Amino acid sequence: MSSEELHSEALHDVRAHLAPFSDLLEGFDRCLAGLAAVEGLGIAVGGSLARGGVHSHSDLDFELKPPAGMSLDEVLAEALRISGTLGRVLSSFPASHIGLPNLLVVFVDMDGSVIKADFMVLLDS
């Protein structure tokens, strides 16, 4: 199986887990499209999106690997901008309070549904 087929199969599985929750599926698709438009950005999913077990209050967990030359602040700003395309951003903050300044937490009002998205930026050690 090629890498592209594997990615396609994994994406199909994630979308299938989200299918019963149309607001989450729409938020996922819109975030993914925005992130995919960032040249060179590596994108993976985490949490219940990766494990299954998605429920109506699940959040959208994205793991982002920035391309060379793109700073943490630039990736976080781009993730926040993309989140804003879903609807009105209610709150956003880096998770510095738990020692994760590379994790951006965003709550968005998307047509009356509150969507929580987490963007973990994977940094080289």
Side-chain angles (χ1 to χ4, degrees), residues 38-119:
V38 178
E39 188 172 334
L41 184 66
I43 308 162
V45 296
S48 61
L49 295 180
R51 292 186 313 270
V54 173
H55 55 80
S56 61
H57 299 292
S58 289
D59 55 359
L60 303 176
D61 292 301
F62 292 96
E63 296 176 359
L64 308 175
K65 180 68 175 162
M70 190 174 200
S71 72
L72 171 62
D73 287 342
E74 290 171 320
V75 178
L76 295 178
E78 195 62 21
L80 181 57
R81 182 194 67 75
I82 290 165
S83 298
T85 67
L86 301 181
R88 184 171 59 96
V89 174
L90 301 171
S91 180
S92 68
F93 51 90
S96 302
H97 62 288
I98 57 171
L100 295 171
N102 56 319
L103 172 63
L104 179 67
V105 178
V106 183
F107 291 87
V108 177
D109 178 348
M110 191 175 87
D111 300 324
S113 293
V114 176
I115 304 293
K116 178 181 179 267
D118 293 338
F119 300 92

